[in-house]
Amino acid sequence: MESSMKSLSLDRSLYFKSFELFIERSTEHQCMKKFLDENLPDVVTGIGKMGATCLNVLGVGSGSGKIDFEILGKIQSKHPGVSIHNEVVEPNPHQISKYKELVKEKGEDLNISFTWNQLRSEEYEKQNKERKESKKFDFIHMIQMLYFVESVPDTVKYFHSLLETNGKLLIIQPSGNGGWHSLWKKSGSRFPTKSGFLGVQKVLDEMRAKYRIYELPSDMDITECFIEGNEKGKLLLGFLTDVADFRKTAPVDLKAEVLHYLRHPPCSREENGKVIFNNDLHFIVVDN
Ligand SMILES: C[S@@+](CC[C@H](N)C(=O)[O-])C[C@H]1O[C@@H](n2cnc3c(N)ncnc32)[C@H](O)[C@@H]1O
């Protein structure tokens, strides 16, 4: 690791500003919506014990809850008349407030109750273990959050162990064939953050877990990253590398390598004068 570079994700407010811009410049949430509309209904059809009157759902790293809320809607439409209890594990208080606002706005008539845990996944696990609690869940999801955990294997194993009979765990992260993996395989060892998302499939294989991967296309317009002094480009480049102000703080050779690599296949393609980054996603559905 090079000493002058700092992880963007350590600066919560800058991180979320960059994340919001990423959502604006990419088809990330549209891609997730497509999976939720076209594939999730089949995935959640079989969850729940025979005759269950309530389904327990756990969201880990929920952010502002936009995607979680869609998931709850899909589960409810496949299990009409069954109530849902949704537990949220999210360390950022600002994101939890946004999620609560969303629930107030859209969730009043729904038969869904919530427990809010303003905790990191590691703290939630520790708390459960101290209380000797191991509540089981019919559906657990970890959406674009495994980069931040201390140990991907421990996190995946622990949350998989909380699955109820017929339960499913959904992990959403960048595709193994997309730009994120290419960039982080090439230069990630020199970035200050470890690249947790690279090893999830290996962990599942070692666990001998039964899983299925759906791969869906997604794009991100990163043209502004190549315009020196462009504020939005600075945020996007920071988001891609998880380095705050990458252009200013990265060593010259790393900056040249990343800017060159990002601009070409397999990371990106040029289209109508724009640089389009491959943001394809993997939707990994793990059985109990
Ligand atoms: C990239 S955002 C994804 C948010 C949301 N799931 C989505 O896809 O829109 C990652 C989220 O994980 C949360 N997070 C970071 N470290 C975490 C941890 N150790 N345990 C649980 N959540 C964490 C962050 O606060 C943030 O809300």
Side-chain angles (χ1 to χ4, degrees):
M1 181 188 102
E2 323 276 337
S3 56
S4 64
M5 290 188 287
K6 296 215 165 35
S7 287
L8 173 75
S9 44
L10 290 179
D11 181 337
R12 287 283 136 201
S13 112
L14 195 59
Y15 174 78
F16 281 105
K17 203 169 157 200
S18 310
F19 178 66
E20 273 162 23
L21 183 62
F22 158 69
I23 293 298
E24 217 179 283
R25 290 286 187 276
S26 72
T27 58
E28 168 98 352
H29 276 179
Q30 290 88 326
C31 172
M32 288 185 188
K33 179 100 174 49
K34 190 168 160 59
F35 171 81
L36 302 188
D37 287 343
E38 294 177 8
N39 306 101
L40 191 72
D42 285 343
V43 170
V44 298
T45 301
I47 64 169
K49 278 165 89 174
M50 279 280 285
T53 54
C54 177
L55 290 172
N56 287 297
V57 178
L58 173 64
V60 189
S62 296
S64 59
K66 272 192 201 145
I67 300 296
D68 296 34
F69 211 73
E70 299 268 345
I71 291 176
L72 292 170
K74 297 293 174 202
I75 295 177
Q76 200 158 52
S77 62
K78 276 287 163 186
H79 298 270
V82 173
S83 65
I84 296 178
H85 183 71
N86 185 55
E87 209 162 304
V88 177
V89 176
E90 164 58 52
N92 188 284
H94 183 59
Q95 296 295 302
I96 293 203
S97 300
K98 280 183 152 184
Y99 196 164
K100 285 183 178 169
E101 272 168 37
L102 187 69
V103 172
K104 229 192 230 167
E105 208 181 290
K106 294 189 169 172
E108 274 195 349
D109 303 331
L110 302 173
N111 196 4
I112 306 176
S113 54
F114 289 84
T115 298
W116 308 97
N117 299 282
Q118 194 201 311
L119 296 172
R120 295 169 56 82
S121 51
E122 296 85 352
E123 293 164 335
Y124 177 77
E125 176 178 347
K126 190 164 170 262
Q127 179 184 283
N128 277 354
K129 285 182 173 163
E130 277 168 7
R131 292 181 184 164
K132 298 197 179 1
E133 262 178 29
S134 57
K135 186 178 165 193
K136 299 279 179 176
F137 295 90
D138 301 293
F139 194 76
I140 301 176
H141 53 82
M142 300 195 282
I143 303 175
Q144 295 287 37
M145 60 74 62
L146 280 171
Y147 332 101
F148 306 106
V149 301
E150 278 159 27
S151 159
V152 172
D154 291 351
T155 306
V156 172
K157 277 180 208 154
Y158 176 68
F159 286 98
H160 182 258
S161 80
L162 298 186
L163 285 177
E164 180 59 273
T165 311
N166 303 327
K168 304 265 188 216
L169 166 67
L170 170 67
I171 298 171
I172 306 182
Q173 59 165 37
S175 153
N177 309 311
W180 289 95
H181 274 242
S182 302
L183 174 68
W184 279 73
K185 262 190 198 155
K186 171 86 181 162
S187 312
S189 62
R190 295 183 68 191
F191 298 156
T193 319
K194 58 183 168 37
S195 50
F197 62 91
L198 292 175
V200 174
Q201 265 172 266
K202 191 165 164 253
V203 171
L204 292 171
D205 289 336
E206 281 167 5
M207 287 164 62
R208 296 181 187 278
K210 213 173 136 221
Y211 64 94
R212 176 173 175 188
I213 300 182
Y214 302 75
E215 178 161 358
L216 270 74
S218 171
D219 283 340
M220 173 184 181
D221 182 349
I222 59 166
T223 315
E224 290 151 306
C225 292
F226 303 95
I227 307 170
E228 201 159 354
N230 182 295
E231 267 311 302
K232 293 196 166 162
K234 183 169 136 182
L235 292 177
L236 289 174
L237 195 54
F239 191 73
L240 284 159
T241 55
D242 199 35
V243 177
D245 206 349
F246 178 80
R247 259 184 196 273
K248 225 187 213 166
T249 60
V252 178
D253 65 319
L254 180 63
K255 187 167 82 179
E257 175 181 284
V258 167
L259 286 174
H260 176 81
Y261 201 67
L262 264 181
R263 208 179 178 122
H264 300 98
C267 280
S268 305
R269 64 180 195 276
E270 295 241 2
E271 207 175 271
N272 303 324
K274 293 194 174 302
V275 184
I276 307 295
F277 182 76
N278 180 323
N279 185 56
D280 291 359
L281 295 179
H282 266 173
F283 299 81
I284 309 175
V285 177
V286 191
D287 292 344
N288 180 357

